[in-house]
Amino acid sequence: SAVISQKPSRDICQRGTSLTIQCQVDSQVTMMFWYRQQPGQSLTLIATANQGSEATYESGFVIDKFPISRPNLTFSTLTVSNMSPEDSSIYLCSVVITGSGSYGYTFGSGTRLTVV
Amino acid sequence: AQTVTQSQPEMSVQEAETVTLSCTYDTSESNYYLFWYKQPPSRQMILVIRQEAYKQQNATENRFSVNFQKAAKSFSLKISDSQLGDTAMYFCAFMKHNTDKLIFGTGTRLQVFP
């Protein structure tokens, strides 16, 4: 299975600023996914990032607020822009792993963001 | 739209005992995947078990097994011989075939007591 390195692991940011989260995979993958987990809540898909094309955002998420880059098949970034306390969440990247009859997601270890 | 419901916000079990976590889902699709993920305090999402909807046989992974009832749209997780390390948040998730988008339930917090 793939190994995902995500950083930073946590950060405390001032409102109005932006934070960029990085996600590095140890193998080439077609699609990468960004999820948000608000405090005490479940995971919600923010967007799907394909290499070489613009990310596809889910309802309720917009590119101006969560710009995503996908420069190659092993790397992606998610920026949380113009942050407010409501953006305090855990942000996770993930990839789909297939092969040997298996199918499933692998997740990064998450970034815990606190906006003050 | 697909929805996933976990009706048990919290569960507790004594070490070495068996516990069952419930999950129901709503979909009109016939081909899909179901997953159980574990999230310990470290935040890492760990795949526990996977079930393909077209397979009638219930998936098992060591101490973890599922009871998949397709007609009832039910997908419960049984943890046998519970261990302290099983303490975590457990999420049930649904994925429609060929979409790669996971839809998560709200989670069940499991506490294993010595």
Side-chain angles (χ1 to χ4, degrees), chain A residues 24-72:
Chain A
Q24 178 77 52
V25 189
D26 69 345
S27 57
Q28 293 184 339
V29 293
T30 303
M31 289 188 289
M32 295 178 73
F33 305 86
W34 288 97
Y35 284 83
R36 181 177 74 181
Q37 185 178 22
Q38 294 177 298
Q41 303 293 316
S42 186
L43 283 75
T44 302
L45 180 64
I46 298 172
T48 303
N50 293 320
Q51 193 270 333
S53 63
E54 285 195 2
T56 302
Y57 289 83
E58 298 299 305
S59 175
F61 298 96
V62 295
I63 187 171
D64 289 346
K65 177 66 175 178
F66 297 101
I68 288 172
S69 77
R70 184 78 201 278
N72 57 53

Side-chain angles (χ1 to χ4, degrees), chain A residues 9 31 37 42 103 105 107, chain B residues 39 43-44 50 95 100 105:
Chain A
S9 61
M31 289 188 289
Q37 185 178 22
S42 186
Y103 183 92
Y105 270 57
F107 286 83
Chain B
Q39 187 180 41
R43 302 196 305 268
Q44 182 72 50
R50 166 199 309 108
M95 179 191 294
D100 292 334

Side-chain angles (χ1 to χ4, degrees), chain A residues 92-103:
Chain A
L92 300 104
C93 67
S94 66
V95 299
V96 174
I97 302 300
T98 61
S100 302
S102 66
Y103 183 92

